Structures are given as structure tokens and as C-alpha cells.
Amino acid sequence: MFLFGARATGQSTWLGQQLGSQKTLWFDLLDLETESRLARDPSLLEREIRARLETRRPEWIVVDEVQKWTASHEPLRIQRLDLFRPEDSSD
């Protein structure tokens, strides 16, 4: 899912309020440390997501300011992630 809007109109703030920090794994590419760490090793994004899924099952994974990624890296190629434990399934 993508959330589009004019710059500096509060999309990130709104999204954070709607999703809640406890349910969301958030990568903010405006954060210089996060952006530079991922720029050095783009595969780190998928590895970090998978590692965090071992201990925490977020409902949402947000890559804030994703346009910064697409401007400077290969396309994001994250395999489908199973975010639900088998006992969470309603099947």
C-alpha cells in the first residue's frame, strides 16, 4: 500500500497515529543513520525485517520516504513474508 500526498502535510504523523507504534515495524529513510546503513547494504532491509519477525509480529511494515530508496538503490525485492503465525489463521 502506498500513501501519497503533498509534501510536508503530515502523512507520516497521520500514519503513525492510525497504525500505532506497537503494531508497526517502521523504517524511516529520512533518518540519516537508517538511510546510510541501508545504503551501504540494501539487502539489510529484508534481513532486518526477517530478524524482527522472529521476536515480534507486526501488523504493518512501513518504509517511510520510500522514494529516497528508489532514487538511489535497486528496486526493493522483498519476498512475500508470512506475517501470521499458524495459530492466527482463521482457516
Side-chain angles (χ1 to χ4, degrees), residues 1-2 5 10 12-13 19 22-24 27 34-35 38-40 43 45 54 58-59 64 75 83 85-86:
M1 172 173 53
F2 288 90
S12 298
T13 301
L19 300 180
Q22 296 300 316
K23 298 187 251 178
T24 307
F27 294 90
T34 301
E35 199 278 331
L38 295 175
R40 285 191 303 274
S43 67
L45 180 63
E54 295 294 321
E59 292 180 23
D64 195 11
L83 298 179
R85 294 183 188 123

Side-chain angles (χ1 to χ4, degrees), residues 12-55:
S12 298
T13 301
W14 180 84
L15 199 56
Q17 291 170 344
Q18 299 304 307
L19 300 180
S21 62
Q22 296 300 316
K23 298 187 251 178
T24 307
L25 176 54
W26 200 285
F27 294 90
D28 182 1
L29 297 183
L30 282 182
D31 177 69
L32 294 178
E33 181 181 328
T34 301
E35 199 278 331
S36 63
R37 192 167 41 81
L38 295 175
R40 285 191 303 274
D41 183 2
S43 67
L44 187 59
L45 180 63
E46 182 175 358
R47 291 196 323 266
E48 283 193 16
I49 290 171
R50 289 188 182 282
R52 291 188 193 182
L53 288 175
E54 295 294 321
T55 59

